Structure formats: structure tokens, C-alpha cells
């Protein structure tokens, strides 16, 4: 029996509600596959601000570093929204990513055939969509220096700096190629090489890293073309890799293909070991949904699918991850829906029931 240490940070709003369902499902995985998951639980975000006056305690980071992975709910809510506040719930996510050296953000976008109608795109365009968008998280325009505003005789001025080093591009490209190897073996690297020097560097380095993976096809797209093709031929993509700001925009565009936020998991990864595993933070892409907190309406599937990603990418438990994903598919195929994805002829269930249905299918 193998034992894995996992840090749970349920956070605020619906975070604790969906986390409970994820651990219910993980409990079934433990029994079926004979593993032991040892949990630590820490308050974070608004809950930690209330309890300790800070969104992320040093103790929480220390526990995260001793764990194989962090399973993260959601943070924030109206109670902590004061723009003048010196501590904000979001500091917890940024702090955690920084302290754990998480430089790659992964968002899988898979559209379940029975949920094709939930998207604003036509079902025939969406059919077969199954991609992962990888965004570089720690470099680029959001962090480059100089970054400042000033005023001179010509009026108000501002500058941000888009800078990437070869090393930063190499490590994120390896994440993309390694992931593509476990999938359909296709990487699309997205840049703006026709205008930006960093874009030329990005393309050059991506091509060089690609040579180490002769079994994976690499193509390059300009970011504007990629934005267009995501809507025109989403099913043609397998793994997309891009820099921070382009990724920020493209991941949201890609997320909308799937329709509901309640279905979409994500991972933030740091350095990988030879077997492709390593520490990661796994969270649904949705926020704390204060409008439905405490009403049993939250869809726990994004959180449950985040736990599946954790098993695959941090714990190296592929069969277990696939079992969760197929249990989720089975529950959807069985016609069960939380209110956010309910349609004609479906059975509407609450958060707990949805978690139980997935657990029972395992
Ligand atoms: P949100 O994702 O919380 O909610 C947007 C809409 O989607 C709401 O109508 C909500 O009810 C619905 N929704 C979200 N998750 C759902 C689920 N699992 N099941 C069913 N419906 C779901 O975004 P928001 O309203 O813009 O933000 C609310 C709070 O969450 C804010 O404080 C924001 O800062 C925070 N936030 C946190 C994260 C994070 O922790 N990573 C991400 C985004 C927003």
C-alpha cells in the first residue's frame, strides 16, 4: 500500500462544499486501489484573514512543501472585497504559486458529448474537443522590469516589460511535450514572433526543445490566429503552450468552449521529476461563488476532476485518475446534473448527491 501526503485548502464560499465531495471520491480511490492519502488541512484566503489576519500563513506553505500536492478550493467573497484592504484573499494563490515555484498552469478543456449544448458554440464545431492549454505563470509582461507609471511634459506615461529567458521557455516547453506524449502527441506553441523579439526567442527555443521529442508533432501559431482557430476548429488542438499574458487570455477563451465553470479543473505545476511527477496545486477554475454558497447548488465536478489531475500529475496514479474521469462521465451519461448544467430530461441533484454518485461509480 502506498501512502501520499496531501494538503487540503478548502478556502471560502463553495470551496469547502466542493472539497468535501472531492475527498469523498478520493476515499473510494483509497479503498479500491489500496492507497492511503494522509491529509493536512489549512485555512486560506478569506478564512485565514479572519482567523490569522493573513491570507496565507508561513505554516501553510511549509505544510505544502512537505506534501505531494495541494488541493485548493476557492478563495474570496464580498466580505473581503474592500479595495483599500491591505490583505486580500487572492494573495493566497499568488503566494502559494510563488513559494512552491509553480510555473506552469494547465487547463484541460474537454467537452462531454452530452453537454455540447451548454456552450455558445455550435455542437458540430465543438464535437471532439479535448485539449490542454499550458500557460507560463511566472515570467513575461506581468513580472518584467521596468514596470512603472510616471508623468512628464508629454503627459502620463506607463511601461511594462516583456522579458523571457531561454531557461524559462525550455522548462515550460518540456512540460508541454511530456504531456503531449501521454496524449495525442501534438504541441501547438503560440507566440507573436512576427512582431515581438521575445516571440522570436520563444519560437526558436520551442523548436529546439521539440527536437528532443521526435515522436511529438510541433506546430507554431501566432496568438491572433490561435484565438481565431480556438473558435473555428477547437477539436484540432491537443496541447497548446504559450507565455503568461497570451495564456491568461487564451485559457479563458478555451474555458468558455466547455460551457460551465463548474466542470473545469486546473493544475499549477513546478519542477518535474524524471517520471513526470512533481508538486502541484490543483483547483477548479471557478471562484468561491458567494451567490450560491450554502445552498447545495455548487457543482463539485470541477473539484473532483482537479483531484483526478492531482493523482495523475503529482502522484503518478494514472489508472486511478482515469477511473475518476470515467466515473464522472458515467454520472453525466446517467442524466444527473447539478443546477448549473441541468437541461430538459435530466435529473437535478445537489452538491452532496453528485459527489456520492461519482464515488459510488468507482
Ligand atoms: P465565480 O467563479 O465564483 O462565479 C461565477 C458564476 O459561476 C456565479 O454565478 C457562480 O454561482 C457560478 N459558479 C461558479 N462555480 C460554480 C460551481 N462549481 N457550480 C455552479 N455554479 C458555479 O466568480 P465570481 O463571482 O467572479 O467571483 C466570486 C469570488 O471568487 C470573488 O471573490 C473572486 O475574487 C473569487 N475568485 C476566486 C478564484 C480562485 O479562488 N481561484 C477564481 C475566480 C474568482
Amino acid at each position: 500500500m502506498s501512502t501520499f501526503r496531501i494538503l487540503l485548502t478548502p478556502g471560502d464560499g463553495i470551496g469547502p462544499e466542493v472539497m468535501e465531495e472531492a475527498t469523498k471520491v478520493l476515499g473510494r480511490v483509497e479503498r479500491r486501489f489500496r492507497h492511503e492519502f494522509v491529509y493536512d488541512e489549512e485555512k486560506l484566503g478569506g478564512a485565514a484573514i479572519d482567523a490569522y489576519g493573513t491570507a496565507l500563513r508561513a505554516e501553510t506553505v511549509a505544510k505544502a512543501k512537505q506534501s505531494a500536492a495541494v488541493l485548493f478550493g476557492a478563495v474570496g467573497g464580498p466580505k473581503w472585497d474592500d479595495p483599500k484592504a491591505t490583505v486580500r484573499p487572492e494573495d493566497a494563490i499568488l503566494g502559494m504559486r510563488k513559494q512552491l515555484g509553480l510555473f506552469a498552469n494547465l487547463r484541460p478543456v474537454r467537452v462531454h458529448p452530452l453537454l455540447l449544448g451548454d456552450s455558445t458554440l455550435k455542437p458540430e464545431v465543438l464535437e471532439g474537443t479535448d485539449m490542454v492549454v499550458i500557460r507560463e505563470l511566472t515570467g513575461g509582461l506581468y513580472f518584467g522590469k521596468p514596470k512603472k507609471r510616471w508623468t512628464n511634459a508629454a503627459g502620463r506615461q506607463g511601461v511594462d516589460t516583456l522579458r523571457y529567458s531561454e531557461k524559462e521557455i525550455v522548462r515550460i516547453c518540456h512540460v508541454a511535450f511530456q504531456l503531449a506524449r501521454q496524449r495525442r502527441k501534438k504541441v501547438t506553441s503560440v507566440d507573436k514572433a512576427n512582431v515581438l523579439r521575445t516571440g522570436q526567442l520563444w519560437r526558436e527555443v520551442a523548436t529546439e526543445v521539440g527536437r528532443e521529442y521526435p515522436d511529438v508533432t510541433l506546430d507554431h501559431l501566432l496568438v491572433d490566429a490561435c484565438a481565431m482557430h480556438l473558435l473555428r476548429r477547437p477539436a484540432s488542438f491537443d496541447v497548446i503552450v504559450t507565455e503568461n499574458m497570451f495564456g491568461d487570455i487564451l485559457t479563458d477563451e478555451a474555458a468558455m468552449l466547455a460551457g460551465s465553470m463548474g466542470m473545469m479543473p486546473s493544475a499549477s505545476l513546478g519542477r518535474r521529476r524524471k517520471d513526470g511527477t512533481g508538486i502541484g496545486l490543483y483547483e477548479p477554475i471557478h471562484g468561491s461563488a458567494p451567490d450560491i454558497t450554502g445552498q447545495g447548488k455548487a457543482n463539485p465536478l470541477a473539484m473532483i476532476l482537479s483531484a483526478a489531475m492531482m493523482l495523475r500529475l503529482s502522484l503518478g496514479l494514472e489508472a486511478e485518475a482515469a477511473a475518476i474521469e470515467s466515473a464522472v462521465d458515467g454520472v453525466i451519461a446517467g442524466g444527473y446534473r447539478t443546477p448549473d448544467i441541468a437541461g430538459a430530461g435530466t435529473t437535478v441533484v445537489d452538491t452532496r448527491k453528485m459527489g456520492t454518485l461519482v464515488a459510488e461509480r468507482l
Side-chain angles (χ1 to χ4, degrees):
M1 180 153 78
S2 15
T3 301
F4 301 92
R5 183 169 284 280
I6 298 166
L7 177 64
L8 305 178
T9 56
D12 308 315
I14 61 168
E17 299 170 35
V18 293
M19 183 66 80
E20 202 176 313
E21 302 317 308
T23 50
K24 190 188 278 176
V25 170
L26 287 171
R28 281 298 265 254
V29 171
E30 280 183 298
R31 287 197 290 283
R32 174 168 155 194
F33 293 90
R34 303 183 54 76
H35 299 303
E36 189 188 12
F37 300 137
V38 179
Y39 300 116
D40 269 321
E41 187 167 326
E42 281 283 302
K43 284 191 168 54
L44 180 132
I49 293 176
D50 288 353
Y52 316 114
T54 172
L56 178 64
R57 297 192 305 155
E59 289 89 327
T60 308
V61 175
K63 282 187 185 166
K65 286 182 176 168
Q66 288 157 13
S67 306
V70 181
L71 203 52
F72 188 104
V75 293
K79 184 174 175 192
W80 306 281
D81 260 356
D82 179 0
K84 289 195 217 109
T86 50
V87 279
R88 302 186 54 83
E90 298 78 29
D91 299 345
I93 311 177
L94 298 178
M96 198 71 113
R97 282 177 179 165
K98 187 155 189 255
Q99 303 273 349
L100 299 180
L102 307 177
F103 61 84
N105 184 247
L106 275 67
R107 278 196 194 179
V109 180
R110 200 168 65 94
V111 188
H112 192 287
L114 292 174
L115 298 178
L116 285 175
D118 285 358
S119 171
T120 48
L121 290 197
K122 292 187 191 126
E124 60 268 31
V125 174
L126 273 182
E127 208 166 1
T129 296
D130 180 0
M131 72 178 97
V132 179
V133 186
I134 303 183
R135 164 189 173 193
E136 202 289 328
L137 266 187
T138 55
L141 203 54
Y142 297 175
F143 298 100
K145 300 269 169 49
K147 175 188 269 311
K148 61 178 178 176
R149 291 190 53 174
W150 73 98
T151 304
N152 61 18
R156 284 176 289 175
Q157 316 286 328
V159 66
D160 293 286
T161 302
L162 176 48
R163 181 190 298 267
Y164 266 106
S165 71
E166 176 180 350
K167 266 191 186 151
E168 287 171 312
I169 305 171
V170 165
R171 66 182 185 178
I172 190 93
C173 286
H174 278 298
V175 173
F177 283 102
Q178 280 167 15
L179 187 72
R181 269 196 170 152
Q182 299 164 19
R183 297 173 45 93
R184 301 196 307 278
K185 299 193 170 53
K186 186 178 164 198
V187 170
T188 304
S189 169
V190 176
D191 58 45
K192 189 73 183 166
N194 55 342
V195 179
L196 300 173
R197 295 296 174 275
T198 43
Q200 292 165 1
L201 177 67
W202 186 280
R203 191 169 287 214
E204 211 170 280
V205 174
T207 306
E208 287 161 11
V209 175
R211 288 194 194 111
E212 296 177 38
Y213 299 83
D215 51 325
V216 179
T217 313
L218 167 68
D219 60 11
H220 302 275
L221 267 186
L222 295 174
V223 62
D224 40 340
C226 183
M228 193 174 72
H229 290 307
L230 274 174
L231 302 181
R232 181 184 275 170
R233 50 172 179 86
S236 69
F237 292 103
D238 181 16
V239 175
I240 293 177
V241 61
T242 191
E243 61 98 45
N244 202 345
M245 186 177 67
F246 297 161
D248 192 3
I249 299 164
L250 293 179
T251 48
D252 268 17
E253 185 191 354
M256 285 323 293
L257 299 173
S260 171
M261 308 253 273
M263 297 289 297
M264 299 207 48
S266 79
S268 298
L269 307 179
R271 286 215 349 242
R272 311 275 82 199
R273 289 182 282 268
K274 280 235 156 62
D275 67 357
T277 65
I279 192 160
L281 183 148
Y282 300 84
E283 57 177 328
I285 72 157
H286 61 72
S288 57
D291 54 333
I292 56 165
T293 299
Q295 299 170 33
K297 289 183 183 164
N299 184 343
L301 294 180
M303 187 81 243
I304 291 170
L305 291 169
S306 300
M309 285 187 88
M310 172 184 81
L311 298 185
R312 174 176 293 122
L313 298 172
S314 279
L315 277 44
L317 304 177
E318 172 60 38
E320 293 79 344
I324 295 182
E325 288 160 354
S326 113
V328 168
D329 281 353
V331 171
I332 298 287
Y336 297 101
R337 305 280 191 277
T338 42
D340 56 313
I341 51 171
T346 60
T347 310
V348 179
V349 295
D350 66 8
T351 309
R352 285 203 168 132
K353 179 72 181 167
M354 185 56 105
T356 304
L357 286 166
V358 176
E360 281 171 351
R361 279 202 159 251
L362 273 163

